[in-house]
Amino acid sequence: MSRILYLHQHFSTPDGGTATRSYAHARALARAGHEVTVATGRYAGAETGLSGPFRLSRRDGEVAGFRVVEWDIPYEGGMSLGARALAFARYALRALPPALSGHDLVIASSTPLSVAVPALLAKRLRGTPFLFEMRDPWPELPRALGLRNRPILAAMEALAGAACREASGVVALSEGMAELARARGARRVEVIGQGCDLDLFGPHIPAWRPEEAASHEALAVYAGAHGNSNGLGLLLEAAARLRAAGEARVRIVLVGQGPAKPALMREALRRGLRNVSFLPPLPKRELARLLAGSQIGLLCLAPVGEFAEWTAPNKLMDFLAAGLPVLSNLPGAAARLLEEGECGVTVDPRDAEALAAALVRMAARPAERLKMARAARDMAQRRLDRRLLAARFVAAAETALGAPPRAFEATA
């Protein structure tokens, strides 16, 4: 049995409303016989499984067979750049003592990139191997989104390069990220993408629909962050075109929170878009009920070329697991996945008219929609079951430990 420290600032169990990848991986590591400690901050929308007050800005306990340490370091997407940087720095400092305390392996899961700092110092000062999980490409993605501060970009580049070169292994969420890791000198890279939770989402979940949703309306759901990078204005433009055409068969539902949400709500009100509903962030179990009562999953990002191969949207996995056909404006890897699985449609990233037309087609052709829905669930079961991907993650961690990975069955 090995002692593993899993550093992820945004950890959540399925009771929260955010991604649960690190929860699935930590649980799989624990079930493989490892002693796992997850160290996390206080992320808006997350549920760590811990309750009770913080003592000296910390609380801890056992969750699903592993230990969770939660520090009172708040973070949410609507923070200013300075506030976010401060939260990242505080987490890295708090993670340093446990990283240096004699674990057999440190797993550094980025975002944020600063999580690599304690892992690198543990490697250099104590010789502790670490596995670097690359969830987002830094600094490429911030640069693509408009960050122009050269010293900050240079610092990100140096840290990302060191993390890739010095890690015993790199886990990348997409082939595009894997290519970046190899270019930075990573010795061992494995692509382990996002996975589908087939127990949490699916046709066995009782359906729920918002009160304002009429029985004749097909619900097209976007669930995720409401930031500038998500490009949700495109969905409002599509809704405006549907309304102008007198099309009443589609309701667009936006679930989540973020800095762009107030402006989106004001714009929808100004334009009289009564075919758009805004919902707060929902815990995953409640989101599963909404998806069970919906007909279309919406994948939307701003028209940034780098998103095509460098992103791995978790919301796409939730739609597939729920058995929803997906309407997307994201080219590249996501578009290929939908095309190969015959479970969705991709439109031009900027084309609101095409998006509206695709919504009408999907609403008007229930048989075709049902065929795509079945294909979505089938793909989730055959290729994207997160239990199988978690087993591969355990193997990558054990390889980073320097021992042959043990054989074990993936369990629910």
Side-chain angles (χ1 to χ4, degrees):
M1 178 176 67
S2 299
R3 297 181 65 227
I4 297 176
L5 177 65
Y6 199 144
L7 302 177
H8 183 212
Q9 190 164 351
H10 307 327
F11 168 83
S12 182
T13 71
D15 291 326
T18 188
T20 58
R21 177 183 174 94
S22 54
Y23 168 82
H25 290 174
R27 187 176 61 170
L29 286 163
R31 290 181 174 181
H34 300 289
E35 181 183 319
V36 181
T37 298
V38 172
T40 184
R42 186 158 60 86
Y43 185 42
E47 288 290 341
T48 62
L50 303 179
S51 59
F54 288 88
R55 299 184 183 277
L56 299 177
S57 299
R58 166 196 169 116
R59 61 185 178 184
D60 64 80
E62 184 170 309
V63 175
F66 55 91
R67 183 172 173 239
V68 174
V69 175
E70 181 182 3
W71 295 306
D72 190 12
I73 303 173
Y75 179 85
E76 58 181 312
M79 282 179 162
S80 67
L81 180 60
R84 279 183 283 169
L86 179 59
F88 296 159
R90 289 180 61 200
Y91 177 86
L93 286 173
R94 289 298 298 265
L96 186 55
L100 296 173
S101 65
H103 289 86
D104 299 305
L105 178 70
V106 174
I107 299 174
S109 186
S110 169
T111 300
L113 181 59
S114 49
V115 77
V117 172
L120 280 164
L121 289 174
K123 168 73 179 299
R124 294 175 182 180
L125 298 177
R126 293 188 60 95
T128 306
F130 73 94
L131 182 68
F132 182 51
E133 185 175 33
M134 193 173 177
R135 291 173 177 249
D136 291 299
W138 294 70
E140 287 81 6
L141 201 53
R143 184 186 291 119
L145 291 173
L147 181 63
R148 294 293 179 264
N149 188 304
R150 291 185 179 181
I152 291 178
L153 291 170
M156 288 181 181
E157 183 63 53
L159 182 55
C164 289
R165 288 191 304 273
E166 298 191 35
S168 296
V170 174
V171 169
L173 268 68
S174 71
E175 288 290 349
M177 289 186 228
E179 290 177 7
L180 290 173
R182 295 185 187 103
R184 290 188 172 119
R187 292 173 292 167
R188 182 183 294 113
V189 183
E190 174 136 16
V191 178
I192 303 176
Q194 301 281 21
C196 295
D197 189 327
L198 301 175
D199 297 323
L200 189 58
F201 296 93
H204 57 288
I205 301 299
W208 173 81
R209 290 163 65 92
E211 288 184 5
E212 66 268 26
S215 59
H216 66 270
E217 290 179 321
L219 298 190
V221 177
Y222 169 89
H226 290 42
N228 293 332
S229 64
N230 302 105
L232 300 182
L234 182 75
L235 301 185
L236 297 192
E237 289 295 333
R241 283 164 170 75
L242 293 173
R243 183 163 176 76
E247 177 56 62
R249 287 175 290 186
V250 179
R251 173 171 294 275
I252 294 175
V253 182
L254 301 176
V255 184
Q257 192 60 272
K261 185 169 185 175
L264 290 167
M265 294 180 72
R266 289 193 299 269
E267 180 68 6
L269 181 63
R270 184 187 70 82
R271 300 175 72 169
L273 300 180
R274 290 188 290 273
N275 55 350
V276 177
S277 294
F278 290 91
L279 297 179
L282 296 176
K284 285 283 189 177
R285 299 185 196 283
E286 293 183 27
L287 176 63
R289 295 186 61 211
L290 173 61
L291 297 188
S294 301
Q295 286 67 50
I296 303 164
L298 289 173
L299 182 61
C300 185
L301 281 170
V304 177
E306 287 81 357
F307 284 163
E309 304 297 341
W310 289 352
T311 56
N314 186 68
K315 60 182 72 68
L316 173 58
M317 298 299 108
D318 294 346
F319 294 151
L320 296 177
L324 282 181
V326 179
L327 176 54
S328 169
N329 77 331
L330 182 60
R336 292 192 297 272
L337 183 70
L338 295 178
E339 183 179 9
E340 291 166 11
E342 299 181 339
C343 54
V345 176
T346 302
V347 299
D348 184 272
R350 296 178 173 84
D351 196 338
E353 189 66 43
L355 182 64
L359 283 168
V360 171
R361 284 197 305 272
M362 294 175 85
R365 301 175 183 178
E368 183 178 314
R369 196 174 67 230
L370 180 60
K371 181 180 179 181
M372 286 193 288
R374 289 171 174 164
R377 180 70 180 183
D378 180 64
M379 172 176 280
Q381 291 173 316
R382 288 187 298 104
R383 293 175 48 184
L384 300 168
D385 186 336
R386 78 170 191 179
R387 292 167 294 191
L388 301 177
L389 299 179
R392 289 177 53 203
F393 187 87
V394 170
E398 292 180 335
T399 300
L401 278 162
R406 69 186 75 213
F408 69 97
E409 293 293 328
T411 56

